[in-house]
Amino acid sequence: MRTSWADSVANSASETAVSDNNSLRRPTRATYVPPHLRNRPASDTPNISGLASESERTNFNGTAGGSQWSRSSMGGGGGRTNPEMGRQSQVYGYAGAGRGVGRWNNRIGGWDRRETEVNPFGGSDEADVTDQTFSEQENSGINFDAYEDIPVETSGENAPPPVNTFSEIDLGELLNQNIRRCKYVKPTPIQRHAIPIVLGGRDLMACAQTGSGKTAAFCFPIISGIMSEQYVQRPHAARTAYPLALILSPTRELSCQIHDEAKKFSYQTGVKVVVAYGGAPINRQLRELERGVDILVATPGRLVDLLERARVSLQMIKYLALDEADRMLDMGFEPQIRKIVEQMGMPDRGMRRTMLFSATFPREIQRLASDFLSNYIFLAVGRVGSSTDLIVQRVEFVQESDKRSNLMDLLHAQRENGVHGKQTLTLVFVETKKGADSLEHWLCLNGFPATTIHGDRTQQERELALRSFKSGKTPILVATDVAARGLDIPHVAHVVNFDLPNDIDDYVHRIGRTGRAGKTGLATAFFNEGNLSLAKPLAELMQEASQEVPAWLARYASRTLYGGSKNRRYGGGRFGGRDFRREGSYGRNLDHYGLVGGNSGSAYGVPGNYGGGYAPGVASAWD
DNA sequence: AAAAAAC
């Protein structure tokens, strides 16, 4: 039987007192103090247990808490009494704590770091939270009824059902407050499905379009889970940090961005988020870690460093999330990730919750990834106007030697058509770091303020470049693939693939830097004989996104002999991936992703505009 | 073949 929340508070407080007297039986272990109870003077103890009585909790579980949230955030529609709420509250043991903490925090001043916590919602910061700001998207004319038609595939045993509103999920009042502060009115499709799956204790491999709210989808269950697990004990070694959750991403800037988001979601919850990445002074990161960490956001290299110095231990990890998971498991990263997950003391799969997220998930990477997962749910979710619908894609045939003058033409046209007062940002992708520097130099010489971001620049230069671009000071950013994934840069109107990538997945991620937050975007690609291997997948992708495929590109595509193993899912499919575990019965010739939808399994939601495959030779689950 | 990721 569970002890009550009030008991646990009293227990932790008294055990802390014992520990202070040096008479604890296990001197290397201190009782875990829940994040929201830390740094609390002992003299306040009597007040605590009195606050969250059993009756208050019952009251909260029944109607008060739920309807309060529903009323303020959902209008009248979300206020129905949900018979499941009581049960969920029992399961997660959180509802009562949420209310108790809220009142408690009002009474007690100066005991918690929350008093000095910088308000991440202050000032202009608030305007930055637009990616999932549905009120804004509604204003921009998106038809939200179309969400009903979003193709969703879930596979795996007994997937917890999706929810339609945040109020159906018992995330806790403090987190709910932050969700409101972020102006998230309604969960995005990936959030509707992913959050119940993880809160239900299941592992997850999730495939969802760029800009569809993945960060919140893995942060919410982590934060909620950490707040509701009151009885966890963490060892304390003087200089070793024991995070409960680890979020890994492939670039430093993306880790920073996730950290910033996670700070918003955990504001005033007492859940501590720390970021660690290379290229920045390690001492500041070490100090932050020493002050305590619940959620560690990191890039792999720096994390390995910290683990080898024994400044971080993964022994207490309860949640592991890999963002851009397919990149994290590709050839360059996989050994490092395997080391972190399998050889550095992290609890085995099954003893932790593991979440893998990306917009793309090649089959061979899925196979690798399944090593890290336990009886997982595979989830593929498209979204309204999947980013490729919001993005107009153009391909021009441009010889290598003509690329610069062609870019110049684009930029001049843009400058002439530009609306004054409205910042137009252009992101130019090139293949190499040297190429980035040289193109930036040339652009500046020719009167176009540009900057560049790539792995040969110092971290300071990289961050300065990103800031300068975001602010519009240098409205052109020349980038390598370091900027291809995950970065949420508002107001990018135009992505130019000056050099096309060799992998269609990289193309998908690159163009996903525009067309965000319900805005439309333009993506222009320069194609020549050097990109022949991309002809077929690119033509298929464009066809699938209802883009105009130039006749010359279609010819290249049909001539391509490559087909085979590099064959992709875009021909005839919609966005999304397919669970590689389900491919046995289809025959091995199916493209390496498979397709969302089809007539099998639990897939549902058929978009009305499906127009058939581009290339007749490509297998489709619809055929 | 290139890019990213530690000092």
Side-chain angles (χ1 to χ4, degrees):
Chain A
M1 195 190 101
R2 284 178 56 239
T3 47
S4 75
W5 176 79
D7 289 343
S8 74
V9 172
N11 287 342
S12 70
S14 64
E15 285 194 38
T16 304
V18 169
S19 161
D20 289 341
N21 292 336
N22 294 323
S23 60
L24 199 62
R25 265 177 299 157
R26 295 158 298 168
T28 56
R29 292 186 155 247
T31 299
Y32 173 73
V33 180
H36 55 288
L37 304 183
R38 288 173 199 164
N39 303 328
R40 202 172 166 286
S43 62
D44 286 335
T45 305
N47 293 337
I48 307 170
S49 50
L51 276 172
S53 69
E54 201 64 45
S55 64
E56 271 186 283
R57 245 176 303 155
T58 307
N59 191 23
F60 179 87
N61 291 349
T63 53
S67 61
Q68 183 189 2
W69 165 231
S70 303
R71 218 176 19 250
S72 56
S73 63
M74 309 307 303
R80 72 189 170 86
T81 305
N82 185 348
E84 291 291 281
M85 273 197 78
R87 185 192 58 79
Q88 286 200 353
S89 301
Q90 297 288 324
V91 171
Y92 302 119
Y94 186 67
R99 182 181 173 95
V101 168
R103 286 182 45 180
W104 184 24
N105 191 34
N106 289 338
R107 281 199 195 177
I108 301 158
W111 57 271
D112 193 288
R113 229 177 260 143
R114 279 179 287 174
E115 291 292 318
T116 56
E117 190 174 357
V118 176
N119 182 349
F121 301 99
S124 59
D125 218 12
E126 205 154 1
D128 289 342
V129 192
T130 52
D131 195 59
Q132 299 135 346
T133 305
F134 278 74
S135 49
E136 171 167 322
Q137 292 197 351
E138 273 161 353
N139 292 339
S140 67
I142 288 189
N143 174 14
F144 270 71
D145 293 339
Y147 267 119
E148 304 310 316
D149 290 338
I150 281 218
V152 176
E153 178 183 298
T154 58
S155 49
E157 295 159 17
N158 302 317
V163 294
N164 289 310
T165 64
F166 286 122
S167 60
E168 285 174 55
I169 326 167
D170 186 23
L171 292 170
E173 185 50 33
L174 291 175
L175 179 50
N176 281 340
Q177 277 175 24
N178 292 330
I179 293 172
R180 284 194 291 268
R181 287 176 175 129
C182 288
K183 301 191 172 70
Y184 298 174
V185 173
K186 205 176 159 183
T188 65
I190 181 69
Q191 292 162 5
R192 289 178 46 208
H193 287 80
I195 295 171
I197 288 171
V198 180
L199 283 178
R202 299 296 299 278
D203 282 3
L204 175 65
M205 181 186 289
C207 200
Q209 268 296 6
T210 52
S212 60
K214 290 190 283 286
T215 308
F218 59 74
C219 283
F220 288 0
I222 289 175
I223 293 167
S224 176
I226 287 175
M227 293 180 72
S228 64
E229 284 158 27
Q230 310 258 332
Y231 317 119
V232 181
Q233 295 191 338
R234 274 188 267 187
H236 74 264
R239 287 151 70 82
T240 305
Y242 290 84
L244 300 173
L246 176 64
I247 300 172
L248 292 172
S249 95
T251 66
R252 298 161 181 176
E253 288 77 13
L254 184 52
S255 280
C256 282
Q257 180 181 299
I258 294 166
H259 172 250
D260 292 344
E261 288 291 291
K263 290 275 274 192
K264 286 175 189 160
F265 303 148
S266 59
Y267 179 58
Q268 300 269 309
T269 63
V271 174
K272 187 97 196 297
V273 190
V274 174
V275 66
Y277 55 88
I282 200 168
N283 280 333
R284 212 176 102 181
Q285 293 172 9
L286 289 173
R287 259 202 317 278
E288 282 295 310
L289 288 167
E290 276 182 32
R291 296 179 62 199
V293 53
D294 297 300
I295 301 174
L296 178 59
V297 186
T299 49
R302 177 54 62 89
L303 178 62
V304 168
D305 188 7
L306 292 167
L307 289 167
E308 284 170 351
R309 296 176 190 222
R311 299 301 296 263
V312 169
S313 162
L314 301 178
Q315 276 174 39
M316 302 305 291
I317 291 294
K318 298 283 181 291
Y319 300 90
L320 169 66
L322 302 192
D323 200 8
E324 308 297 343
D326 58 330
R327 167 62 79 235
M328 304 299 280
L329 294 171
D330 79 6
M331 283 202 323
F333 270 124
E334 195 249 355
Q336 246 178 330
I337 300 300
R338 200 171 277 283
K339 177 176 181 177
I340 290 167
V341 178
E342 294 178 336
Q343 293 159 32
M344 301 298 287
M346 188 187 298
D348 289 342
R349 58 177 176 181
M351 303 299 289
R352 59 165 200 259
R353 291 283 65 78
T354 306
M355 297 164 260
L356 309 184
F357 282 77
S358 183
T360 52
F361 243 123
R363 188 176 65 188
E364 58 270 28
I365 302 287
Q366 287 189 36
R367 195 177 293 117
L368 274 179
S370 62
D371 286 355
F372 301 139
L373 297 159
S374 167
N375 186 27
Y376 63 96
I377 305 291
F378 177 89
L379 176 61
V381 190
R383 71 163 185 163
V384 157
S386 62
S387 63
T388 43
D389 281 357
L390 292 167
I391 301 167
V392 175
Q393 299 176 55
R394 293 192 318 208
V395 191
E396 298 176 20
F397 194 93
V398 184
Q399 292 295 356
E400 217 50 47
S401 53
D402 297 335
K403 280 183 174 178
R404 284 185 175 184
S405 59
N406 214 286
L407 177 62
M408 193 56 68
D409 292 345
L410 290 178
L411 294 173
H412 274 298
Q414 212 164 277
R415 185 179 271 178
E416 279 153 28
N417 299 333
V419 185
H420 286 294
K422 212 170 186 182
Q423 198 55 251
T424 295
L425 303 184
T426 303
L427 181 52
V428 182
F429 282 104
V430 296
E431 195 62 19
T432 65
K433 295 178 277 198
K434 248 182 84 178
D437 279 336
S438 117
L439 183 58
E440 178 221 16
H441 183 65
W442 184 81
L443 284 169
C444 290
L445 280 182
N446 285 276
F448 285 95
T451 184
T452 182
I453 185 167
H454 60 69
D456 273 356
R457 306 201 79 194
T458 67
Q459 191 54 28
Q460 219 173 11
E461 289 170 330
R462 285 165 59 160
E463 283 168 22
L464 179 65
L466 204 51
R467 273 200 306 275
S468 173
F469 181 56
K470 279 183 173 178
S471 72
K473 191 177 157 203
T474 49
I476 300 167
L477 179 65
V478 184
T480 60
D481 269 329
V482 69
R485 284 171 172 259
L487 295 187
D488 191 41
I489 309 169
H491 313 303
V492 173
H494 195 179
V495 170
V496 179
N497 274 291
F498 189 90
D499 302 318
L500 273 163
N502 294 314
D503 189 332
I504 189 67
D505 288 342
D506 292 331
Y507 175 84
V508 169
H509 287 274
R510 285 178 177 188
I511 68 170
R513 295 317 99 211
T514 186
R516 301 175 78 83
K519 297 190 178 67
T520 54
L522 174 64
T524 304
F526 296 166
F527 184 102
N528 59 38
E529 289 93 341
N531 310 113
L532 289 185
S533 66
L534 203 66
K536 189 167 183 171
L538 180 59
E540 289 168 358
L541 174 72
M542 291 178 69
Q543 166 83 18
E544 171 49 34
S546 310
Q547 302 292 313
E548 197 177 319
V549 181
W552 57 264
L553 181 60
R555 275 200 304 279
Y556 276 121
S558 60
R559 267 186 237 154
T560 309
L561 300 174
Y562 300 84
S565 68
K566 277 290 177 187
N567 205 356
R568 299 297 181 170
R569 76 286 198 193
Y570 297 112
R574 295 185 304 280
F575 155 76
R578 184 188 184 83
D579 188 346
F580 88 102
R581 294 174 297 183
R582 292 176 57 176
E583 280 166 20
S585 57
Y586 278 83
R588 309 266 138 66
N589 276 345
L590 195 62
D591 51 284
H592 84 201
Y593 284 82
L595 307 164
V596 164
N599 300 315
S600 60
S602 55
Y604 56 88
V606 178
N609 63 348
Y610 172 69
Y614 161 73
V618 176
S620 161
W622 294 91
D623 295 337

